[in-house]
Amino acid sequence: MQITRLFAVLLMVLEWTRPGLSSPLRPICDLRVLDHFIKEAWDAEAAMRACKDACSIATNFTVPLTRVDFDVWEAMNIEEKAQEVQSGLHVLNEAIGSLQASNQSYVLQSHVDASISNIASIRQVLRSVSIPEYVPPASGGEDEETQKVSSISELFQVHSNFLRGKVRHLLASAPVCKQGVS
């Protein structure tokens, strides 16, 4: 698992840093790249379901909503979709990152580290298809597009569902990907 993630990230970095080229990032429209991250998120979710007591923590996590109302989604412009996905990735990164400081099992810690790394890679993939990066709202109020979960298992389930839903739909609808560039 670690080697395949490293290989995928290495390929992306090598493509972006090819010497002598001053062109912008090449779009990564192949959904198989995202499928790799979805599989790892699903593996983390399965591991946390199996871990139970050794991977429990007494706290609530704020996570993004994962449901997609396709009528509403299709009516949104790409900037609105991007903001929703990028803010959701930010919320997930904060929630999963909060586990890094806790003294958890090796199993949990390895999934936390992998998830943080994967979210960063997903942000790079989105950047490669010209999806605007996350800009925090000016107001400090809590986003209505979030919910609370009370277990690590639920946190990783939301992570997996968010990638399979909103992130996949955003990447598939990115204008540069619709132009047949891959």
Side-chain angles (χ1 to χ4, degrees):
M1 177 167 78
Q2 188 77 305
I3 291 174
T4 59
R5 181 180 339 98
L6 180 61
F7 182 69
V9 171
L10 181 62
L11 284 175
M12 287 188 289
V13 169
L14 288 174
E15 180 64 29
W16 295 330
T17 60
R18 227 183 320 173
L21 296 179
S22 61
S23 62
L25 292 178
R26 198 164 148 208
I28 303 172
C29 296
D30 189 345
L31 291 176
R32 290 177 293 183
V33 173
L34 181 60
D35 289 341
H36 166 77
F37 298 119
I38 291 169
K39 182 188 178 325
E40 287 198 4
W42 188 88
D43 289 345
E45 175 190 343
M48 294 307 104
R49 277 195 314 264
C51 192
K52 302 271 186 224
D53 295 334
C55 297
S56 66
I57 191 167
T59 190
N60 287 328
F61 301 98
T62 301
V63 295
L65 295 176
T66 59
R67 70 179 177 276
V68 178
D69 180 335
F70 290 104
D71 292 332
V72 172
W73 184 263
E74 290 304 317
M76 294 169 74
N77 64 39
I78 194 69
E79 290 81 16
E80 292 168 324
K81 292 175 184 178
Q83 182 66 19
E84 188 167 327
V85 167
Q86 291 284 27
S87 66
L89 287 171
H90 175 76
V91 169
L92 277 170
N93 196 56
E94 293 288 313
I96 294 170
S98 71
L99 294 170
Q100 282 185 315
S102 62
N103 292 325
Q104 294 295 323
S105 70
Y106 171 77
V107 171
L108 174 60
Q109 199 60 49
S110 67
H111 286 295
V112 166
D113 293 344
S115 295
I116 299 284
S117 175
N118 288 349
I119 289 171
S121 296
I122 290 166
R123 286 178 170 159
Q124 290 290 351
V125 168
L126 293 176
R127 195 175 110 223
S128 83
V129 295
S130 302
I131 299 297
E133 294 194 32
Y134 176 70
V135 178
S139 65
E142 191 167 307
D143 188 0
E144 66 274 358
E145 293 294 317
T146 63
Q147 62 183 338
K148 298 279 188 188
V149 295
S150 59
S151 73
I152 296 172
S153 173
E154 289 175 301
L155 170 60
F156 281 99
Q157 180 181 24
V158 167
H159 179 216
S160 175
N161 289 342
F162 191 76
L163 297 182
R164 283 194 316 254
K166 292 182 179 180
V167 175
R168 175 176 284 283
H169 290 296
L170 177 63
L171 188 56
S173 67
V176 71
C177 294
K178 287 184 171 184
Q179 295 172 1
V181 176
S182 60

